[in-house]
Amino acid sequence: MVKLTPELIEQSAQYTNPLRDRELDLRGYKIPVIENMGATLDQFDTIDMSDNEIRKLDGFPLLRRLKTILLNNNRIVRVGEHLETMLPTLDTLVMTNNSIQELGDIDNLATIKTLRHISLLRNPVTSKKHYRFYIINKLPHVRVIDFRKVRLREKEQAAKLFKGKKGAKLSKELGKRSTKTFVPGAGLPAKKAKPGTADKENGNPEPKIARPDVEAIKNAIANASTLEEIERLNKLLQAGQIPGVNENTGAAGDGPAGEEEMDT
């Protein structure tokens, strides 16, 4: 593993991405902890920390400019508290292929009122009952979940599901948190190798995203209603943020055709 030092930050690739945002590339260093981010001098709109060993989303200083954080292919199990005070303009958080287990483990994101786009694809939490409705209710400011726009119909269904005392009880039942605690310095379980998994050391190709995710991403681009949304999705693909998907592969899914979109 490699410690995230100010020197590493200064030496890492920096460039203007397809959305003309200034981006810092910290991919693939096997970084275990987010730290020393003050060395960025708040000069970046996007920071890509995909393909590392990060277990907790925290450790940020005040970064007023940072809008997008990419954390694909890490080991994240927990989200820190009070992120809104350190990341006051965070708009997009992509945590595809991590280890978020329980719905309550994402509750700390509710305080980030600027958050509009979130991806938890290929996390265990996505298999939980009422997963999408829970997020819509808990994070009402989020407009795109797992590359699918939140529909007005979904918003209404979530409001109905969690309405009143019965709904509050259901929310409490669903919103439990992981009981396992991480001991700093303890050994980490080895990642299971997957076909096509990226390996910078031996030159293996970038991992391929699951076919259902590819279709979801394609549908989202097809159904995006604004140029900004299309550019955002294409940027994630073209810059390689969704592993194994290049500019010729598609992007993110939408709900059933004919549904109304959530009011913006």
Side-chain angles (χ1 to χ4, degrees):
M1 293 186 184
V2 175
K3 184 179 176 65
L4 182 54
T5 63
E7 292 74 22
L8 178 61
I9 290 171
E10 292 170 5
Q11 295 168 10
S12 295
Q14 306 173 14
Y15 53 88
T16 301
N17 66 29
L19 277 188
R20 298 188 177 181
D21 285 341
R22 194 66 185 161
E23 181 164 336
L24 174 65
D25 185 352
L26 293 171
R27 295 180 64 141
Y29 289 107
K30 297 185 178 180
I31 297 164
V33 177
I34 299 172
E35 57 186 335
N36 295 314
M37 296 301 287
T40 66
L41 303 178
D42 199 14
Q43 294 181 342
F44 301 96
D45 305 287
T46 298
I47 295 179
D48 187 351
M49 291 182 281
S50 299
D51 306 317
N52 283 295
E53 305 287 336
I54 298 166
R55 292 180 60 87
K56 185 177 180 182
L57 180 63
D58 70 350
F60 293 96
L62 177 60
L63 298 175
R64 297 183 183 277
R65 181 173 174 177
L66 186 59
K67 297 184 298 183
T68 300
I69 301 176
L70 305 165
L71 288 156
N72 301 304
N73 304 324
N74 275 276
R75 298 173 180 266
I76 295 172
V77 295
R78 290 189 296 166
V79 174
E81 298 180 345
H82 309 304
L83 287 174
E84 75 284 355
T85 62
M86 299 294 101
L87 306 170
T89 60
L90 184 65
D91 173 272
T92 299
L93 180 60
V94 181
M95 296 195 294
T96 297
N97 196 26
N98 275 273
S99 301
I100 302 292
Q101 299 285 335
E102 302 291 344
L103 291 169
D105 293 336
I106 63 173
D107 283 0
N108 286 340
L109 296 176
T111 59
I112 309 176
K113 304 302 183 185
T114 58
L115 190 62
R116 296 291 180 268
H117 304 77
I118 182 172
S119 172
L120 294 169
L121 289 169
R122 295 157 68 193
N123 279 257
V125 70
T126 60
S127 64
K128 296 295 181 180
K129 186 176 182 180
H130 301 312
Y131 157 74
R132 193 169 169 87
F133 288 147
Y134 183 90
I135 295 180
I136 291 170
N137 180 69
K138 187 65 66 171
L139 282 63
H141 42 279
V142 169
R143 297 175 182 172
V144 179
I145 302 170
D146 297 341
F147 300 99
R148 291 174 53 203
K149 286 182 287 187
V150 174
R151 300 294 190 172
L152 179 58
R153 183 180 301 176
E154 290 180 303
K155 191 177 180 183
E156 292 171 344
Q157 289 175 312
K160 182 178 179 180
L161 182 65
F162 296 106
K163 182 180 180 180
K165 292 183 179 179
K166 189 175 181 180
K169 181 180 179 181
L170 176 62
S171 180
K172 185 176 180 179
E173 291 173 353
L174 294 173
K176 65 179 180 179
R177 301 192 178 194
S178 299
T179 55
K180 293 181 179 179
T181 57
F182 171 62
V183 179
L188 300 177
K191 286 185 178 179
K192 292 183 179 179
K194 297 181 179 179
T197 297
D199 186 343
K200 289 191 174 183
E201 295 178 354
N202 60 25
N204 285 343
E206 288 289 323
K208 293 185 178 297
I209 195 166
R211 192 65 203 171
D213 296 344
V214 172
E215 294 304 319
I217 296 170
K218 286 181 179 179
N219 290 335
I221 285 183
N223 289 283
S225 59
T226 68
L227 179 60
E228 182 182 5
E229 287 182 40
I230 294 172
E231 289 180 335
R232 181 185 299 279
L233 292 166
N234 275 322
K235 171 254 182 176
L236 292 174
L237 299 174
Q238 293 172 358
Q241 316 301 4
I242 306 299
V245 180
N246 58 29
E247 57 190 303
N248 296 317
T249 347
D254 243 312
E259 291 185 5
E260 291 183 79
E261 294 179 16
M262 185 183 77
D263 294 334
T264 58

